[in-house]
Amino acid sequence: MEEIQSQSDNYRSSSSSASSPASRVPSSNFFYLRKPGSLRQPISFEDSPEWEDTDVDVRVEEGGDTINVAATPASPCLSKLNSGSLPSPPLPENAVVARKIAGSSVVWKDLTVTIKGKRKYSDKVVKSSSGYALPGTMTVIMGPAKSGKSTLLRAIAGRLHHSAKMYGEVFVNGTKSHLPYGSYGFVERETTLIGSLTVREHLYYSALLQLPGFFCQKKTVVEDAIHAMSLSDYANKLIGGHCYMKGIPNGERRRVSIARELVMRPHILFIDEPLYHLDSVSALLMMVTLKKLASTGFTLIFTIYQSSTEVFGLFDRICLLSNGNTLFFGETLACLQHFSNAGFPCPIMQSPSDHFLRAINTDFDRIIAMCKNWQDDHGDFSSVNMDTAVAIRTLEATYKSSADAAAVETMILKLTEKEGPYLKSKGKASSATRIAVLTWRSLLIMSREWKYYWLRLIICMLLTLCIGTVFSGLGHSLSSVVMRVAAIFAFISFTSLLSIAGAPSLLKEIKIYASEESNGHSGALVFLLGQLLSSIPFLFLISISSSLVFYFLIGLRDEFSLLMYFVLNFFICLLVNEGLMLLITSLWLHVFWSVLTLVSIHVVMMLSAGYLRIRNALPRPVWTYPISYIAFHTYSIQGLLENEYLGTSFAVGEVRTISGIQALRSAYDISSNSNSKWENLLVLFLMAIAYRILVLLVLHFRVGKNESVLKFCRCNQDTNNPR
């Protein structure tokens, strides 16, 4: 503790003389200053921007749609760094000029977010953070892992989890209000894209889900978004690839996810980790694209973990967090000066963001402990030889007493003293339109997803052929009854069990729904109806093809009405099974546990279906009540047997005959009522509806309200979305 206290005193004494603006060093030498009092000489940066005093004038035009910010040279400005080091390329001939967007100012004041049990020592994930974002600028929230970056971003956007509580105020154009639908876009860290669609198709279907109006207008919006994110070269390529064709790169995938939000033409765009899983070249290209996007008037606010020097130079303002505490807010180069004033100047040949994270990331304390013996033998390990707890306290105290914090308070006061134009909610597409769009989109996906749909159809046909050939040539004698019961049991049970192979595709659909629902583009009922309508043609194709093969190979009664009942019974059986799969996958949100649970449920249902042991002979607790009554296998098999044997008779010897019901007594228990097969069909239909009602409740209360559906993607990566 004495060593830490001495370090703290040394840091504070060395930075006290530099805490006021009047004592700041000339701009030609401040970019990579060494620690004050160091024996090494300051290293100047020849082209560093000049440091001048700033006076920001904000005026709100009444009746207008923007807030004009006139900034006379005030704080460290990035004009040289942004325009000089990364010049914009000239526009080619016939280029589409970017549409100007009326951005909005965003202010957050004394924002505190608490989540019970989120932190080990405190429930406060974000602590009294204040800042602002202006139209045409990029504001970045930076900090180490678990510092509260994403939570602060969600708090500003009004998208916190229901277990979180927010204290403080958020102003939009000077008005304290929530952001209405369509006025902002939010891009999650994980890209949730449909690999079976091209970039243009993906954006077009997204526009159909989000926007009202005519189709031609939406095509224009989609083309604008494609040009804004520089996706013209990839517009007609499949996002996830096909067969042996590779999909688009990770950088372009990230841009597609941003373009999906641009079709709404929002005023404000929130992005959680835009450089997530991108290499240095893709990251720079992404930030240049976002910089050009901001120049059209967008207000961009995003989080970032770290960046290269080139990317860092593109930021306009930075909000630096550590363990929920705001260590700095202001213009980017002012943050470098702030660290220098606090006694932690950025060394040359080191990225500023790396230096910031090195100073405030407590995980580096473990590295210091590991390298202590190495330091003693090889000299001072200067770039790692500082206590992060002391650095965080020093930076926080220096910022609170600095002119930068006072300038932020003044700016917030000016932005909130007069109300600007109120952002209105944009219209949504009707529920009928969204159901039709989801249905058609799902049909298109099914036609291209050979692995989960067409391969499933082929395997189902092969299984039917195997069962049909094993039980072929049975004839119509009394001895064939038991074998036909076995054939029907095997057909229903094994084809239902095989359908579990479609669980990963259902899980992907739920992931897409969760992403679209979080942005207000879809709803639980809309998704469920769209999924049901799109699955009907595919399930009917499986049922009619498999039923025809099985029916004639086994040699069932040659009547058209009986054949149609067989097809209808098997089709509704598949609908029930699909509803059960949707229910289990939406509950688990995990491929392995969903498949394991479904297999276990099917095995239990097969045991109680009445074939391995007649239903009346099953133990009454558990197996008869309730399992045999909730097993859809029971009603499907019973209905098919009643369809085959009701009204039939078999000769026993030369004189006596018995009915088909009596012939089945020893093999399966069915009803003698002539309408019983339709009653079984009705029960199956009600079970299909009941499962989907349960799915609707789970989607609404668990998936729609729970962040776990977005987190599970990190463990279950889409096979069409490799990284």
Side-chain angles (χ1 to χ4, degrees):
M1 290 298 295
E2 294 179 358
E3 181 182 356
I4 295 177
Q5 185 63 37
S6 63
Q7 289 183 22
S8 176
D9 295 340
N10 185 26
Y11 291 150
R12 293 182 187 278
S13 63
S14 63
S15 60
S16 60
S17 61
S19 60
S20 61
S23 62
R24 287 174 178 163
V25 225
S27 62
S28 59
N29 294 328
F30 91 92
F31 196 111
Y32 283 119
L33 286 179
R34 295 291 182 186
K35 178 180 174 182
S38 174
L39 296 177
R40 303 175 182 176
Q41 294 296 323
I43 299 175
S44 63
F45 212 57
E46 189 173 343
D47 295 330
S48 59
E50 296 186 0
W51 183 281
E52 300 174 355
D53 292 331
T54 318
D55 185 19
V56 180
D57 179 26
V58 181
R59 63 180 185 275
V60 182
E61 296 182 357
E62 297 184 2
D65 200 21
T66 60
I67 292 183
N68 294 325
V69 182
T72 56
S75 330
C77 127
L78 293 174
S79 58
K80 284 187 180 181
L81 195 56
N82 290 340
S83 62
S85 60
L86 287 168
S88 299
L91 287 174
E93 295 183 4
N94 302 324
V96 178
V97 180
R99 182 188 297 270
K100 289 293 182 180
I101 299 295
S104 302
S105 68
V106 181
V107 173
W108 60 98
K109 184 178 179 182
D110 297 328
L111 206 62
T112 299
V113 180
T114 61
I115 302 178
K116 190 174 182 180
K118 186 70 174 179
R119 292 285 186 267
K120 186 175 181 180
Y121 302 105
S122 173
D123 292 337
K124 292 183 179 180
V125 183
V126 179
K127 307 169 187 177
S128 300
S129 178
S130 298
Y132 59 89
L134 301 177
T137 63
M138 295 198 306
T139 303
V140 58
I141 303 172
M142 182 181 289
K146 298 182 180 180
S147 60
K149 304 186 299 295
S150 298
T151 304
L152 177 58
L153 188 74
R154 290 182 174 275
I156 299 170
R159 293 168 60 99
L160 283 174
H161 190 255
H162 61 84
S163 63
K165 292 184 179 180
M166 186 184 79
Y167 307 91
E169 299 172 313
V170 177
F171 299 86
V172 181
N173 286 347
T175 305
K176 185 165 62 174
S177 62
H178 294 288
L179 291 169
Y181 174 80
S183 64
Y184 76 100
F186 194 98
V187 183
E188 299 283 354
R189 179 185 304 175
E190 294 285 348
T191 54
T192 309
L193 304 175
I194 305 174
S196 303
L197 301 179
T198 65
V199 172
R200 181 174 277 109
E201 288 172 344
H202 191 282
L203 297 180
Y204 182 59
Y205 283 117
S206 181
L208 291 176
L209 287 174
Q210 298 180 49
L211 300 171
F214 299 102
F215 294 109
C216 57
Q217 296 174 346
K218 297 177 184 180
K219 287 183 178 180
T220 304
V221 171
V222 168
E223 294 304 321
D224 289 344
I226 289 174
H227 287 292
M229 295 307 298
S230 303
L231 290 168
S232 300
D233 295 338
Y234 299 91
N236 295 317
K237 292 186 178 181
L238 290 175
I239 295 174
H242 183 67
C243 295
Y244 298 103
M245 295 173 58
K246 292 184 178 179
I248 62 177
N250 286 340
E252 278 61 39
R253 291 173 190 265
R254 202 74 178 111
R255 282 196 253 166
V256 172
S257 64
I258 297 173
R260 182 176 59 184
E261 298 303 316
L262 293 183
V263 298
M264 201 69 183
R265 288 178 178 167
H267 301 277
I268 308 163
L269 189 60
F270 299 92
I271 311 175
D272 192 7
E273 297 280 2
L275 308 184
Y276 189 61
H277 282 179
L278 298 187
D279 55 61
S280 58
V281 176
S282 299
L284 181 58
L285 187 59
M286 169 68 78
M287 293 313 303
V288 171
T289 304
L290 291 179
K291 188 69 177 178
K292 290 185 177 181
L293 185 64
S295 67
T296 63
F298 277 100
T299 304
L300 292 183
I301 308 175
F302 53 88
T303 63
I304 198 170
Y305 178 73
Q306 64 183 141
S307 66
S308 62
T309 305
E310 293 85 356
V311 170
F312 181 82
L314 294 172
F315 304 150
D316 293 306
R317 291 177 185 84
I318 182 172
C319 178
L320 196 61
L321 297 180
S322 180
N323 197 26
N325 297 301
T326 302
L327 305 185
F328 178 80
F329 181 87
E331 296 195 8
T332 313
L333 292 184
C335 189
L336 285 166
Q337 182 65 54
H338 169 66
F339 269 71
S340 180
N341 292 342
F344 310 107
C346 181
I348 196 169
M349 302 298 292
Q350 185 173 2
S351 169
S353 64
D354 289 341
H355 176 66
F356 297 160
L357 294 177
R358 165 62 194 90
I360 64 178
N361 194 342
T362 54
D363 291 337
F364 276 100
D365 290 337
R366 292 182 296 176
I367 300 177
I368 295 175
M370 292 170 59
C371 298
K372 186 175 182 180
N373 296 333
W374 189 90
Q375 281 183 247
D376 295 339
D377 297 336
H378 297 81
D380 187 21
F381 207 17
S382 59
S383 62
V384 190
N385 192 21
M386 73 169 74
D387 186 86
T388 53
V390 174
I392 292 171
R393 291 197 300 267
T394 304
L395 288 166
E396 187 178 6
T398 304
Y399 172 67
K400 288 181 178 179
S401 61
S402 68
D404 295 306
V408 172
E409 293 296 328
T410 303
M411 189 65 175
I412 289 176
L413 183 62
K414 289 184 178 182
L415 288 172
T416 57
E417 65 183 357
K418 188 176 181 180
E419 294 186 359
Y422 182 76
L423 297 182
K424 297 180 180 179
S425 178
K426 297 182 180 180
K428 293 183 179 181
S430 64
S431 297
T433 300
R434 288 188 289 172
I435 292 173
V437 170
L438 288 177
T439 302
W440 184 254
R441 187 180 71 179
S442 297
L443 285 172
L444 182 60
I445 294 171
M446 288 180 182
S447 66
R448 296 177 179 175
E449 285 277 5
W450 64 272
K451 186 183 297 183
Y452 294 121
Y453 294 99
W454 297 113
L455 188 59
R456 177 179 162 189
L457 174 62
I458 294 172
I459 294 177
C460 190
M461 288 294 297
L462 291 175
L463 175 63
T464 305
L465 282 171
C466 292
I467 297 174
T469 52
V470 167
F471 291 96
S472 62
L474 295 178
H476 293 278
S477 63
L478 182 60
S479 61
S480 68
V481 173
V482 176
M483 299 306 297
R484 277 196 174 85
V485 174
I488 291 176
F489 171 79
F491 175 71
I492 295 297
S493 300
F494 294 154
T495 51
S496 300
L497 191 63
L498 186 65
S499 298
I500 299 176
S505 65
L506 295 179
L507 206 55
K508 289 197 297 182
E509 291 185 26
I510 294 173
K511 181 174 70 171
I512 294 167
Y513 156 76
S515 176
E516 293 176 341
E517 194 273 343
S518 65
N519 288 332
H521 304 163
S522 182
L525 183 60
V526 170
F527 163 75
L528 201 58
L529 290 176
Q531 195 277 336
L532 174 62
L533 293 176
S534 62
S535 63
I536 284 176
F538 175 71
L539 295 179
F540 186 75
L541 179 61
I542 291 180
S543 63
I544 195 170
S545 58
S546 301
S547 297
L548 288 174
V549 173
F550 178 83
Y551 199 89
F552 291 107
L553 282 178
I554 298 300
L556 300 179
R557 292 167 63 185
D558 192 9
E559 293 183 22
F560 182 75
S561 60
L562 300 182
L563 173 61
M564 288 299 99
Y565 178 87
F566 192 100
V567 173
L568 185 60
N569 182 295
F570 185 47
F571 170 69
I572 299 180
C573 179
L574 291 179
L575 274 181
V576 176
N577 191 37
E578 195 85 358
L580 176 62
M581 290 167 58
L582 266 175
L583 177 62
I584 299 302
T585 51
S586 59
L587 282 172
W588 277 115
L589 301 175
H590 193 282
V591 173
F592 174 78
W593 293 112
S594 297
V595 172
L596 181 63
T597 304
L598 285 168
V599 170
S600 303
I601 290 174
H602 275 76
V603 169
V604 171
M605 287 183 174
M606 289 163 62
L607 289 173
S608 61
Y611 170 72
L612 299 176
R613 190 175 183 185
I614 295 178
R615 191 176 177 186
N616 290 335
L618 287 172
R620 291 192 176 273
V622 181
W623 290 105
T624 301
Y625 306 103
I627 293 179
S628 68
Y629 283 91
I630 62 176
F632 65 89
H633 302 66
T634 304
Y635 303 100
S636 180
I637 295 171
Q638 188 172 330
L640 293 178
L641 290 175
E642 289 166 349
N643 181 61
E644 178 67 17
Y645 288 107
L646 278 178
T648 61
S649 60
F650 295 91
V652 180
E654 297 180 357
V655 180
R656 185 184 169 199
T657 61
I658 61 173
S659 66
I661 302 295
Q662 292 175 326
L664 276 171
R665 291 294 184 190
S666 62
Y668 206 89
D669 184 23
I670 64 173
S671 173
S672 59
N673 186 358
S674 60
N675 294 322
S676 60
K677 69 176 185 179
W678 300 107
E679 293 174 358
N680 286 315
L681 199 64
L682 178 61
V683 172
L684 286 175
F685 181 74
L686 293 177
M687 291 180 74
I689 295 177
Y691 275 130
R692 277 163 176 79
I693 292 175
L694 292 176
V695 172
L696 180 65
L697 296 176
V698 172
L699 290 177
H700 182 73
F701 291 105
R702 173 170 167 76
V703 178
K705 307 295 181 184
N706 202 331
E707 289 179 342
S708 61
V709 70
L710 298 175
K711 292 180 179 179
F712 90 95
C713 332
R714 302 174 190 176
C715 302
N716 301 282
Q717 295 301 335
D718 182 359
T719 55
N720 285 332
N721 187 13
R723 289 193 175 97

mmCIF file of all heavy atoms in Angstrom, residues 148-171:
data_model
loop_
_atom_site.group_PDB
_atom_site.id
_atom_site.type_symbol
_atom_site.label_atom_id
_atom_site.label_comp_id
_atom_site.label_asym_id
_atom_site.label_seq_id
_atom_site.Cartn_x
_atom_site.Cartn_y
_atom_site.Cartn_z
ATOM 1 N N GLY A 148 -18.545 -1.302 -19.200
ATOM 2 C CA GLY A 148 -19.850 -0.653 -19.288
ATOM 3 C C GLY A 148 -20.116 0.025 -20.612
ATOM 4 O O GLY A 148 -21.070 0.798 -20.723
ATOM 5 N N LYS A 149 -19.311 -0.276 -21.637
ATOM 6 C CA LYS A 149 -19.481 0.395 -22.937
ATOM 7 C C LYS A 149 -20.835 0.085 -23.558
ATOM 8 O O LYS A 149 -21.600 0.995 -23.895
ATOM 9 C CB LYS A 149 -18.365 -0.047 -23.902
ATOM 10 C CG LYS A 149 -16.954 0.171 -23.421
ATOM 11 C CD LYS A 149 -15.936 -0.164 -24.490
ATOM 12 C CE LYS A 149 -15.980 -1.602 -24.946
ATOM 13 N NZ LYS A 149 -15.611 -2.564 -23.883
ATOM 14 N N SER A 150 -21.130 -1.200 -23.710
ATOM 15 C CA SER A 150 -22.388 -1.586 -24.354
ATOM 16 C C SER A 150 -23.593 -1.177 -23.520
ATOM 17 O O SER A 150 -24.636 -0.802 -24.062
ATOM 18 C CB SER A 150 -22.412 -3.096 -24.605
ATOM 19 O OG SER A 150 -21.376 -3.484 -25.480
ATOM 20 N N THR A 151 -23.453 -1.237 -22.207
ATOM 21 C CA THR A 151 -24.563 -0.834 -21.333
ATOM 22 C C THR A 151 -24.853 0.648 -21.491
ATOM 23 O O THR A 151 -26.025 1.054 -21.561
ATOM 24 C CB THR A 151 -24.223 -1.152 -19.869
ATOM 25 O OG1 THR A 151 -23.917 -2.551 -19.747
ATOM 26 C CG2 THR A 151 -25.380 -0.813 -18.961
ATOM 27 N N LEU A 152 -23.816 1.480 -21.554
ATOM 28 C CA LEU A 152 -24.019 2.908 -21.763
ATOM 29 C C LEU A 152 -24.654 3.172 -23.117
ATOM 30 O O LEU A 152 -25.572 4.005 -23.238
ATOM 31 C CB LEU A 152 -22.679 3.647 -21.647
ATOM 32 C CG LEU A 152 -22.716 5.161 -21.903
ATOM 33 C CD1 LEU A 152 -23.679 5.857 -20.946
ATOM 34 C CD2 LEU A 152 -21.321 5.768 -21.792
ATOM 35 N N LEU A 153 -24.196 2.462 -24.149
ATOM 36 C CA LEU A 153 -24.777 2.643 -25.480
ATOM 37 C C LEU A 153 -26.259 2.276 -25.478
ATOM 38 O O LEU A 153 -27.091 3.000 -26.043
ATOM 39 C CB LEU A 153 -24.014 1.777 -26.489
ATOM 40 C CG LEU A 153 -24.379 1.984 -27.964
ATOM 41 C CD1 LEU A 153 -23.803 3.303 -28.470
ATOM 42 C CD2 LEU A 153 -23.853 0.825 -28.821
ATOM 43 N N ARG A 154 -26.608 1.166 -24.837
ATOM 44 C CA ARG A 154 -28.005 0.749 -24.780
ATOM 45 C C ARG A 154 -28.839 1.713 -23.938
ATOM 46 O O ARG A 154 -30.020 1.938 -24.233
ATOM 47 C CB ARG A 154 -28.103 -0.663 -24.200
ATOM 48 C CG ARG A 154 -27.567 -1.733 -25.130
ATOM 49 C CD ARG A 154 -27.727 -3.121 -24.533
ATOM 50 N NE ARG A 154 -27.334 -4.138 -25.499
ATOM 51 C CZ ARG A 154 -28.132 -4.634 -26.425
ATOM 52 N NH1 ARG A 154 -29.390 -4.209 -26.487
ATOM 53 N NH2 ARG A 154 -27.717 -5.544 -27.277
ATOM 54 N N ALA A 155 -28.242 2.257 -22.896
ATOM 55 C CA ALA A 155 -28.972 3.209 -22.058
ATOM 56 C C ALA A 155 -29.320 4.479 -22.838
ATOM 57 O O ALA A 155 -30.433 5.008 -22.740
ATOM 58 C CB ALA A 155 -28.145 3.551 -20.817
ATOM 59 N N ILE A 156 -28.373 4.958 -23.632
ATOM 60 C CA ILE A 156 -28.632 6.159 -24.430
ATOM 61 C C ILE A 156 -29.709 5.887 -25.470
ATOM 62 O O ILE A 156 -30.579 6.731 -25.729
ATOM 63 C CB ILE A 156 -27.332 6.635 -25.109
ATOM 64 C CG1 ILE A 156 -26.274 6.994 -24.059
ATOM 65 C CG2 ILE A 156 -27.596 7.837 -26.006
ATOM 66 C CD1 ILE A 156 -24.894 7.236 -24.645
ATOM 67 N N ALA A 157 -29.668 4.682 -26.057
ATOM 68 C CA ALA A 157 -30.644 4.328 -27.092
ATOM 69 C C ALA A 157 -31.984 3.891 -26.517
ATOM 70 O O ALA A 157 -32.941 3.679 -27.279
ATOM 71 C CB ALA A 157 -30.080 3.221 -27.981
ATOM 72 N N GLY A 158 -32.070 3.726 -25.190
ATOM 73 C CA GLY A 158 -33.314 3.277 -24.589
ATOM 74 C C GLY A 158 -33.592 1.811 -24.809
ATOM 75 O O GLY A 158 -34.754 1.404 -24.934
ATOM 76 N N ARG A 159 -32.541 0.982 -24.847
ATOM 77 C CA ARG A 159 -32.695 -0.450 -25.138
ATOM 78 C C ARG A 159 -32.107 -1.318 -24.020
ATOM 79 O O ARG A 159 -31.611 -2.406 -24.272
ATOM 80 C CB ARG A 159 -32.015 -0.793 -26.468
ATOM 81 C CG ARG A 159 -32.683 -0.162 -27.668
ATOM 82 C CD ARG A 159 -31.796 -0.295 -28.887
ATOM 83 N NE ARG A 159 -31.536 -1.673 -29.206
ATOM 84 C CZ ARG A 159 -32.188 -2.374 -30.151
ATOM 85 N NH1 ARG A 159 -33.158 -1.794 -30.837
ATOM 86 N NH2 ARG A 159 -31.881 -3.615 -30.404
ATOM 87 N N LEU A 160 -32.190 -0.847 -22.796
ATOM 88 C CA LEU A 160 -31.673 -1.628 -21.682
ATOM 89 C C LEU A 160 -32.555 -2.837 -21.413
ATOM 90 O O LEU A 160 -33.755 -2.837 -21.690
ATOM 91 C CB LEU A 160 -31.601 -0.762 -20.418
ATOM 92 C CG LEU A 160 -30.442 0.230 -20.321
ATOM 93 C CD1 LEU A 160 -30.616 1.099 -19.093
ATOM 94 C CD2 LEU A 160 -29.103 -0.481 -20.276
ATOM 95 N N HIS A 161 -31.933 -3.867 -20.852
ATOM 96 C CA HIS A 161 -32.678 -5.052 -20.445
ATOM 97 C C HIS A 161 -33.621 -4.688 -19.307
ATOM 98 O O HIS A 161 -33.373 -3.756 -18.531
ATOM 99 C CB HIS A 161 -31.690 -6.138 -20.009
ATOM 100 C CG HIS A 161 -32.315 -7.477 -19.789
ATOM 101 N ND1 HIS A 161 -32.545 -7.988 -18.537
ATOM 102 C CD2 HIS A 161 -32.782 -8.397 -20.664
ATOM 103 C CE1 HIS A 161 -33.122 -9.183 -18.643
ATOM 104 N NE2 HIS A 161 -33.268 -9.457 -19.920
ATOM 105 N N HIS A 162 -34.737 -5.437 -19.195
ATOM 106 C CA HIS A 162 -35.749 -5.070 -18.207
ATOM 107 C C HIS A 162 -35.241 -5.202 -16.775
ATOM 108 O O HIS A 162 -35.816 -4.608 -15.856
ATOM 109 C CB HIS A 162 -36.996 -5.947 -18.396
ATOM 110 C CG HIS A 162 -36.745 -7.418 -18.213
ATOM 111 N ND1 HIS A 162 -36.742 -8.026 -16.977
ATOM 112 C CD2 HIS A 162 -36.485 -8.400 -19.115
ATOM 113 C CE1 HIS A 162 -36.492 -9.312 -17.115
ATOM 114 N NE2 HIS A 162 -36.324 -9.575 -18.398
ATOM 115 N N SER A 163 -34.162 -5.966 -16.558
ATOM 116 C CA SER A 163 -33.610 -6.090 -15.210
ATOM 117 C C SER A 163 -32.728 -4.912 -14.818
ATOM 118 O O SER A 163 -32.332 -4.805 -13.658
ATOM 119 C CB SER A 163 -32.807 -7.391 -15.099
ATOM 120 O OG SER A 163 -31.693 -7.358 -15.985
ATOM 121 N N ALA A 164 -32.414 -4.042 -15.765
ATOM 122 C CA ALA A 164 -31.544 -2.889 -15.499
ATOM 123 C C ALA A 164 -32.388 -1.661 -15.154
ATOM 124 O O ALA A 164 -33.499 -1.493 -15.661
ATOM 125 C CB ALA A 164 -30.654 -2.604 -16.699
ATOM 126 N N LYS A 165 -31.845 -0.822 -14.306
ATOM 127 C CA LYS A 165 -32.495 0.436 -13.937
ATOM 128 C C LYS A 165 -31.580 1.592 -14.306
ATOM 129 O O LYS A 165 -30.377 1.542 -14.052
ATOM 130 C CB LYS A 165 -32.807 0.471 -12.444
ATOM 131 C CG LYS A 165 -33.880 -0.534 -12.021
ATOM 132 C CD LYS A 165 -34.215 -0.381 -10.546
ATOM 133 C CE LYS A 165 -35.307 -1.366 -10.121
ATOM 134 N NZ LYS A 165 -35.641 -1.225 -8.689
ATOM 135 N N MET A 166 -32.161 2.603 -14.914
ATOM 136 C CA MET A 166 -31.374 3.749 -15.370
ATOM 137 C C MET A 166 -31.779 4.999 -14.596
ATOM 138 O O MET A 166 -32.965 5.264 -14.389
ATOM 139 C CB MET A 166 -31.588 3.981 -16.870
ATOM 140 C CG MET A 166 -30.695 5.061 -17.456
ATOM 141 S SD MET A 166 -31.052 5.402 -19.203
ATOM 142 C CE MET A 166 -32.498 6.443 -19.040
ATOM 143 N N TYR A 167 -30.780 5.736 -14.169
ATOM 144 C CA TYR A 167 -30.983 7.019 -13.502
ATOM 145 C C TYR A 167 -30.244 8.084 -14.307
ATOM 146 O O TYR A 167 -29.172 7.833 -14.847
ATOM 147 C CB TYR A 167 -30.455 6.979 -12.066
ATOM 148 C CG TYR A 167 -31.001 5.833 -11.244
ATOM 149 C CD1 TYR A 167 -30.324 4.611 -11.195
ATOM 150 C CD2 TYR A 167 -32.189 5.953 -10.536
ATOM 151 C CE1 TYR A 167 -30.815 3.548 -10.451
ATOM 152 C CE2 TYR A 167 -32.688 4.900 -9.782
ATOM 153 C CZ TYR A 167 -31.994 3.697 -9.740
ATOM 154 O OH TYR A 167 -32.481 2.650 -9.017
ATOM 155 N N GLY A 168 -30.806 9.271 -14.376
ATOM 156 C CA GLY A 168 -30.214 10.331 -15.175
ATOM 157 C C GLY A 168 -31.142 10.737 -16.299
ATOM 158 O O GLY A 168 -32.316 10.325 -16.347
ATOM 159 N N GLU A 169 -30.635 11.536 -17.211
ATOM 160 C CA GLU A 169 -31.466 12.099 -18.272
ATOM 161 C C GLU A 169 -30.793 11.928 -19.624
ATOM 162 O O GLU A 169 -29.568 12.015 -19.740
ATOM 163 C CB GLU A 169 -31.727 13.588 -18.011
ATOM 164 C CG GLU A 169 -32.455 13.863 -16.706
ATOM 165 C CD GLU A 169 -32.514 15.348 -16.385
ATOM 166 O OE1 GLU A 169 -31.466 16.017 -16.495
ATOM 167 O OE2 GLU A 169 -33.602 15.837 -16.029
ATOM 168 N N VAL A 170 -31.625 11.690 -20.633
ATOM 169 C CA VAL A 170 -31.175 11.627 -22.018
ATOM 170 C C VAL A 170 -32.003 12.614 -22.815
ATOM 171 O O VAL A 170 -33.240 12.579 -22.773
ATOM 172 C CB VAL A 170 -31.333 10.205 -22.605
ATOM 173 C CG1 VAL A 170 -30.921 10.192 -24.077
ATOM 174 C CG2 VAL A 170 -30.491 9.194 -21.826
ATOM 175 N N PHE A 171 -31.338 13.506 -23.543
ATOM 176 C CA PHE A 171 -32.005 14.545 -24.335
ATOM 177 C C PHE A 171 -31.733 14.300 -25.818
ATOM 178 O O PHE A 171 -30.607 13.977 -26.205
ATOM 179 C CB PHE A 171 -31.503 15.936 -23.959
ATOM 180 C CG PHE A 171 -31.754 16.325 -22.526
ATOM 181 C CD1 PHE A 171 -30.857 15.972 -21.528
ATOM 182 C CD2 PHE A 171 -32.888 17.046 -22.182
ATOM 183 C CE1 PHE A 171 -31.078 16.331 -20.205
ATOM 184 C CE2 PHE A 171 -33.117 17.413 -20.863
ATOM 185 C CZ PHE A 171 -32.213 17.053 -19.875
#
